[in-house]
Amino acid sequence: AQEGSVAANPQAEDEAYVCPVTAGSSQLNLDFDTGSADLWVFATDTPSSESQGHNLYDTSSGQQIDGATWDITYQDQSGSKGVVFSDTVVVGGVTATSQAVEAATSVSTQFVQNTGSDGLLGLAFSSINTVQPQQQTTFFDTVADSLAAKLFTADLKKGEAGSYDFGYIDDSKHTGDITYVDVDNSQGFWGFTAGGYSVGDDTSAGGDSIGSAIADTGTTLLYVPSSVASAYYQNVDGAENDSSQGGYVFPCSNTLPDFHVAIGSGVFTVPGSYINYAPTDSSGSTCFGGLQGGDGQSLSIFGDIFLKAHFVVFDQTQDSPRLGFAPQ
Ligand SMILES: O[C@H]1CN[C@@H](c2nc(-c3ccc(C(F)(F)F)cc3)no2)C1
């Protein structure tokens, strides 16, 4: 049975975390994204005008899947599209033979400019993989039956390398018990129900329920219902929801309160220091919040601001999928 561990390296300001992956004969740094299900890469097929500064997948090592194409658009409207090869992919010593490697023939400007990432490795459910006419499986689904245990864990960290482990739980990476909750994967995501919340010294998480949420390692921030974000920033002097800046900002001199949320039988805390995400400009006087209101959607997105404060288990060992959360 296979098991392995790979470093999750934070890009600037923990905007994303990239991991070293071998695809065929090529070494790439990929953004592991539990919110999507395509493994796509910058490749020798990518126009050179779009691939400068990126490591490239050499398609000569793969077998092109005849007629297969893909086209993906992310939440922020960035995206890419291309053709598909079957090749060997190795992550932390775990080997997927005949893995669909989606080679980009076009990428949006955001990806062109983000030279720290050579593509994405999707870890959502394969039901939302975009390859047509025959849908392909994620890396995790490809190797699942060969793993010692059908699960992977995410141990992201603030400002330093964390890890993704496949096939086992490393109990040295978490303190206390792991709290498990049921997952609704009907939309292809690691969906769960978040309970009440509280702010600062009130650790009860007794407030209104946050409701439906997804665990999304590919999203940088923590998006909650607008009423929850508003209630949080009532506790922050000088905070305002500035649409020209894209959300809540506040004087960087603030000490932000912690944010507590009930999930299953546990209460999980995001330290206020994690919610002071980054200055909005070089003067460093105004800072952007790591907790923001969703754009009217009913779905909360528990991105890296939340995930990097915890040890998270993405578990398919049972008849139905579940998520586990534990303090690090
Ligand atoms: O779509 C949802 C699925 N998970 C979230 C996600 N978003 C990205 C992304 C990565 C890199 C870039 C770019 F480099 F700046 F272009 C853009 C978006 N990756 O996962 C949102």
Side-chain angles (χ1 to χ4, degrees):
Q2 299 197 86
E3 54 183 63
S5 181
V6 66
N9 300 301
Q11 294 191 302
E13 296 169 351
D14 296 353
E15 186 179 13
Y17 294 80
V18 293
C19 309
V21 172
T22 302
S25 57
S26 309
Q27 295 273 347
L28 307 169
N29 296 309
L30 301 185
D31 179 352
F32 283 22
D33 175 23
T34 59
S36 67
D38 285 52
L39 194 173
W40 74 264
V41 294
F42 281 82
T44 44
D45 292 27
T46 309
S48 56
S49 60
E50 297 179 2
S51 67
Q52 295 307 308
H54 292 274
N55 301 298
L56 303 181
Y57 167 62
D58 181 346
T59 59
S60 67
S61 69
Q63 300 280 325
Q64 184 156 4
I65 300 179
D66 192 21
T69 59
W70 58 281
D71 186 336
I72 194 162
T73 303
Y74 295 100
Q75 177 86 15
D76 67 354
Q77 303 314 307
S78 62
S80 50
K81 63 183 176 180
V83 294
V84 189
F85 293 80
S86 178
D87 210 333
T88 298
V89 172
V90 184
V91 175
V94 174
T95 299
T97 53
S98 307
Q99 172 64 40
V101 179
E102 302 172 31
T105 56
S106 175
V107 296
S108 66
T109 54
Q110 301 100 317
F111 283 106
V112 173
Q113 292 161 3
N114 186 9
T115 51
S117 161
D118 305 318
L120 265 71
L121 188 142
L123 292 168
F125 291 83
S126 298
S127 58
I128 57 172
N129 173 269
T130 73
V131 176
Q132 293 182 337
Q134 67 269 38
Q135 196 170 53
Q136 300 295 317
T137 53
T138 65
F139 170 80
F140 176 67
D141 279 351
T142 303
V143 301
D145 293 341
S146 73
L147 294 175
K150 199 171 178 180
L151 60 82
F152 65 93
T153 67
D155 183 26
L156 302 179
K157 295 184 179 183
K158 183 175 190 295
E160 63 178 278
S163 56
Y164 286 94
D165 298 347
F166 291 88
Y168 70 106
I169 290 177
D170 181 341
D171 286 320
S172 75
K173 293 184 176 177
H174 68 91
T175 62
D177 290 341
I178 300 171
T179 298
Y180 287 97
V181 289
D182 287 340
V183 160
D184 166 12
N185 64 349
S186 60
Q187 303 306 308
F189 300 123
W190 290 92
F192 65 100
T193 300
Y197 72 95
S198 59
V199 178
D201 296 341
D202 171 5
T203 58
S204 67
D208 297 342
S209 275
I210 286 172
S212 296
I214 64 168
D216 183 355
T217 58
T219 287
T220 309
L221 305 183
L222 167 57
Y223 296 91
V224 294
S226 53
S227 58
V228 177
S230 173
Y232 177 81
Y233 287 105
Q234 297 289 352
N235 298 274
V236 178
D237 292 339
E240 56 174 349
N241 193 356
D242 179 345
S243 53
S244 71
Q245 300 263 24
Y248 283 96
V249 296
F250 47 82
C252 297
S253 54
N254 275 286
T255 300
L256 266 57
D258 296 346
F259 181 73
H260 313 280
V261 57
I263 302 176
S265 60
V267 174
F268 297 92
T269 298
V270 180
S273 57
Y274 285 35
I275 300 174
N276 188 338
Y277 176 62
T280 59
D281 63 24
S282 53
S283 77
S285 59
T286 302
C287 279
F288 195 77
L291 182 151
Q292 295 291 343
D295 43 10
Q297 292 180 350
S298 59
L299 188 62
S300 294
I301 302 178
F302 280 44
D304 299 332
I305 291 287
F306 177 86
L307 299 173
K308 65 183 162 186
H310 303 100
F311 178 80
V312 187
V313 187
F314 296 80
D315 183 324
Q316 293 196 25
T317 62
Q318 316 289 302
D319 287 345
S320 55
R322 61 181 188 166
L323 277 168
F325 296 95
Q328 286 164 323

